[in-house]
Amino acid sequence: MGRWLLLFVLGVIAILMVSPLILTVFTSFKPTTELVNPPWAPPVSLTYEHYVRVWTEAGFSRYFFNTLVISAVDAVVMIVIASLAAYAMVFMDFRGKLVLRVLFLIGLMIPVTAIVLPLFQIVRGFGLVNTHLGVIFADLALAVSVFVFMFSSYFVGVPKELHEAARIDGATEFQIYRRVVMPIATPAVVTTALLEFLWSWNDLLLRLLLLTRDEMRTLSVGLLNFQGTMTRDVTGLSSGTVIMAIPVVLLFLFFQRHFVRGMTAGAVK
Amino acid sequence: MFLDPESRWARRLNLILFLLPALTIYIVFAIYPTFSVVEYSFTDWDGISPERDFVGLANYERLFTDKIFWAAFRNTFVWSGVIIVINVGLGLVIAAMLARVWKARLLLQTCIVLPVVISPMAVATIWRWMYQPTGVINQVLEGVGLGGLATPWLGSPDAVLYALALAHSWSTIGLSVVIFLAGLQAVDENLYEAAHVDGANAFQSFRYVTLPALRPVTAVVFILTLTQSFKVFDIVWATTQGGPVRFSEILSTYMYKRGALENQYGYGSAIGVALLVIVSLATVIYMQIQSKEDR
């Protein structure tokens, strides 16, 4: 196949892949009067009115803030707990290590969908339904395995001598973790933050079950309800979709390499 | 309190401090519910009352005679099958093409992988809009003279499952492409040289060099797509909720309806267990292949 033909075919595929997003952006900026034009026609006169409407009246500012809090906390806490556990798994000797390894492996196999019913009951048992904390615990539990293994694979590469030398110098385990091991695992930290943030940002099922009060809801549930009540509000729905997509699209564009590496490594989830 | 850092107690304390946060959350919110779902499936619990009676295999017996369950079961396999064909087949072709391009490669790859980060909820909203009877898909079909194919995609019993599978593939194929690309970069260049010397054309070298070298990666993408697509809930729930009638009902949506909406926790859990077994089996196979590859 000639080089130019190859480029042409790939170009067509690339345009087809992004066109649903571009059409959505077009629609979100169109004045209602321009909706009679075909979807692929760019807006003639731009309007921000739909964004303002969705952001204020439909409560998307609240949803956005809720989603941001949950996703950010998820990402930060995940880095801490997964790396600590991975440190213990790699550098500490203890009985039952194999059992623990198998236990974490199980986590890679559990489909969230299959266990949401009892998960809801447990969260309810702790009185955490309709709290962000409940969602955060569930998020962390269901993804922690992936990141324990991700950190482990980085820690295994830390030279044993480096670790031993720090210990002989009198450093405590926590100091070694903080000063010696974690700096080497920076790529794993970035990947964990990005992936956990993304998964948390995008999830619907857990939030649908655990957050029923409107002021606690996230963008995914907010958008679902908006779609249910305002089925014909095409411009509002497009603006809502764009609001939900913008942060993760920006993250992706800035950190594409990390995302790609993380998605291939954490592909099991 | 200064403990000798080498003492047994200090070590044990360290171990607990490092492991406890992750382990507690993990066991309480992931492992325990996994056992619970199996336990629930042997009861007639409604999810609310404090009492629940052990009913043995009654829920599973009901599964076997439940026509809707089997419809959902079949739909889930059809759904996964369509997605696998697209994500593995087309994903491999796109990756192979991308691997041969240098100019504009990053731009092309970015466009193709970008939908991967879009939330399934947003994907649902976008495609629901595009699939409307007067939506862009039908408008394009009419524009290119294929107006006869136009149909209310999500309202059509014959088309709905395939239409949704296509939307899901759109948002996940980038992952296959990325994994295939990584696999392609590991193929020994000398093999292509040798094929070229032997007079192979581009298609032949793809058929006889690339494909065999990529077999393990293909297996990984295959199983990965299978497990991922079996777990899907969001996009179906946010578009058709399994409808029209039951034509896009899949295991996850059926479980959600019975369990969470109709409070049939016992029965919903039995559906969950079916899902758990299928996905776990596929994942075990996946990890076997991967660990073989690592060696």
Side-chain angles (χ1 to χ4, degrees):
Chain A
M1 223 192 301
R3 285 270 177 264
W4 291 109
L5 183 62
L6 199 62
L7 266 181
F8 175 76
V9 173
L10 279 169
V12 170
I13 293 172
I15 290 169
L16 283 176
M17 290 299 282
V18 288
S19 58
L21 299 173
I22 291 174
L23 297 188
T24 307
V25 173
F26 280 178
T27 308
S28 71
F29 283 111
K30 274 184 189 174
T32 322
T33 48
E34 282 183 37
L35 285 179
V36 288
N37 300 344
W40 52 85
V44 181
S45 52
L46 293 176
T47 174
Y48 302 97
E49 159 202 359
H50 313 302
Y51 283 96
V52 176
R53 180 162 53 92
V54 165
W55 186 256
T56 55
E57 284 167 41
F60 273 61
S61 56
R62 184 87 215 156
Y63 302 146
F64 189 92
F65 180 71
N66 288 342
T67 315
L68 191 63
V69 168
I70 295 177
S71 305
V73 173
D74 266 354
V76 172
V77 179
M78 183 61 91
I79 291 168
V80 176
I81 65 172
S83 62
L84 282 174
Y87 183 94
M89 297 290 287
V90 172
F91 295 112
M92 295 179 179
D93 291 318
F94 57 93
R95 258 182 300 167
K97 202 180 207 172
L98 190 68
V99 177
L100 208 57
R101 215 183 131 72
V102 172
L103 194 69
F104 277 124
L105 269 175
I106 292 174
L108 299 180
M109 295 177 220
I110 304 172
V112 186
T113 332
I115 64 163
V116 285
L117 297 177
L119 184 58
F120 173 77
Q121 294 297 334
I122 289 158
V123 173
R124 198 176 68 163
F126 282 102
L128 292 176
V129 168
N130 269 318
T131 66
H132 291 160
L133 197 61
V135 176
I136 290 168
F137 277 139
D139 283 346
L140 291 172
L142 292 166
V144 71
S145 290
V146 175
F147 298 111
V148 169
F149 285 114
M150 187 180 290
F151 273 108
S152 298
S153 68
Y154 272 89
F155 290 173
V156 169
V158 175
K160 285 276 176 221
E161 301 79 45
L162 203 62
H163 192 261
E164 279 305 310
R167 193 173 274 166
I168 289 163
D169 285 347
T172 64
E173 290 286 4
F174 188 76
Q175 284 168 334
I176 302 174
Y177 159 81
R178 185 77 196 78
R179 306 249 167 80
V180 180
V181 173
M182 280 306 265
I184 296 174
T186 314
V189 172
V190 178
T191 308
T192 303
L194 289 171
L195 274 191
E196 180 60 20
F197 187 91
L198 176 75
W199 289 341
S200 173
W201 188 274
N202 286 347
D203 175 71
L204 172 70
L205 180 56
L206 277 177
R207 282 124 183 96
L208 190 61
L209 272 169
L210 298 178
L211 306 171
T212 51
R213 289 219 329 261
D214 192 57
E215 66 266 31
M216 302 309 287
R217 281 180 178 150
T218 61
L219 283 169
S220 51
V221 192
L223 190 58
L224 180 67
N225 284 329
F226 189 73
Q227 186 179 265
T229 50
M230 311 292 272
T231 319
R232 308 220 161 262
D233 185 357
V234 173
T235 49
L237 280 167
S238 319
S239 327
T241 306
V242 174
I243 290 174
M244 183 165 192
I246 280 284
V248 285
V249 167
L250 288 180
L251 277 180
F252 176 75
L253 293 180
F254 281 116
F255 298 100
Q256 185 172 174
R257 261 174 354 118
H258 295 273
F259 262 114
V260 166
R261 196 187 42 220
M263 283 186 307
T264 42
V268 192
K269 191 180 179 253
Chain B
M1 46 158 255
F2 276 95
L3 286 169
D4 171 11
E6 290 302 311
S7 81
R8 232 175 97 217
W9 287 108
R11 282 190 182 188
R12 192 160 289 179
L13 184 70
N14 265 328
L15 185 65
I16 291 172
L17 288 177
F18 275 73
L19 275 177
L20 207 60
L23 209 52
T24 314
I25 297 175
Y26 177 57
I27 288 175
V28 174
F29 293 96
I31 295 297
Y32 180 67
T34 307
F35 285 101
S36 290
V37 77
V38 179
E39 190 216 318
Y40 286 1
S41 74
F42 294 112
T43 71
D44 63 352
W45 198 29
D46 60 5
I48 303 159
S49 65
E51 298 287 309
R52 53 177 185 248
D53 289 325
F54 180 76
V55 294
L57 291 171
N59 286 323
Y60 291 97
E61 280 163 20
R62 188 176 153 198
L63 270 191
F64 274 99
T65 53
D66 182 348
K67 286 209 181 79
I68 305 172
F69 171 76
W70 288 111
F73 191 82
R74 210 204 54 224
N75 283 347
T76 310
F77 273 90
V78 172
W79 157 268
S80 288
V82 174
I83 294 165
I84 286 169
V85 168
I86 300 175
N87 285 20
V88 176
L90 193 58
L92 175 58
V93 172
I94 294 176
M97 288 197 291
L98 269 178
R100 300 186 57 212
V101 163
W102 300 110
K103 234 178 280 175
R105 167 140 164 210
L106 186 65
L107 177 68
L108 292 166
Q109 189 186 323
T110 304
C111 292
I112 291 165
V113 182
L114 183 64
V116 167
V117 300
I118 307 291
S119 156
M121 182 58 230
V123 173
T125 311
I126 295 171
W127 284 81
R128 217 175 86 121
W129 168 66
M130 296 206 303
Y131 277 139
Q132 278 175 357
T134 56
V136 63
I137 304 273
N138 285 344
Q139 287 186 37
V140 169
L141 284 175
E142 265 152 40
V144 297
L146 290 170
L149 291 176
T151 176
W153 296 96
L154 299 185
S156 151
D158 299 324
V160 62
L161 198 59
Y162 299 93
L164 287 180
L166 182 69
H168 181 76
S169 270
W170 170 75
S171 76
T172 51
I173 194 169
L175 185 57
S176 319
V177 170
V178 163
I179 299 175
F180 276 128
L181 263 179
L184 282 167
Q185 273 149 11
V187 179
D188 190 352
E189 278 296 325
N190 293 327
L191 290 176
Y192 289 112
E193 285 296 321
H196 187 69
V197 170
D198 288 347
N201 61 29
F203 178 76
Q204 284 167 328
S205 71
F206 178 76
R207 170 71 187 79
Y208 295 104
V209 179
T210 314
L211 276 188
L214 280 185
R215 197 169 296 146
V217 184
T218 310
V220 166
V221 178
F222 179 91
I223 303 281
L224 182 69
T225 313
L226 179 74
T227 54
Q228 301 278 35
S229 54
F230 256 87
K231 299 188 253 195
V232 167
F233 168 82
D234 302 10
I235 187 172
V236 177
W237 190 254
T239 47
T240 63
Q241 302 202 340
V245 200
R246 302 283 182 185
F247 289 105
S248 63
E249 194 83 83
I250 54 175
L251 289 174
S252 60
T253 54
Y254 187 48
M255 182 206 67
Y256 185 81
K257 280 180 191 167
R258 288 289 191 230
L261 299 186
E262 294 171 11
N263 284 324
Q264 301 182 28
Y265 257 64
Y267 191 53
S269 295
I271 304 171
V273 171
L275 201 58
L276 191 66
V277 169
I278 300 169
V279 176
S280 308
L281 280 179
T283 314
V284 170
I285 300 170
Y286 171 78
M287 291 194 298
Q288 288 282 325
I289 300 168
Q290 263 215 329
S291 66
K292 229 181 252 168
E293 239 192 311
D294 287 345
R295 259 181 265 130

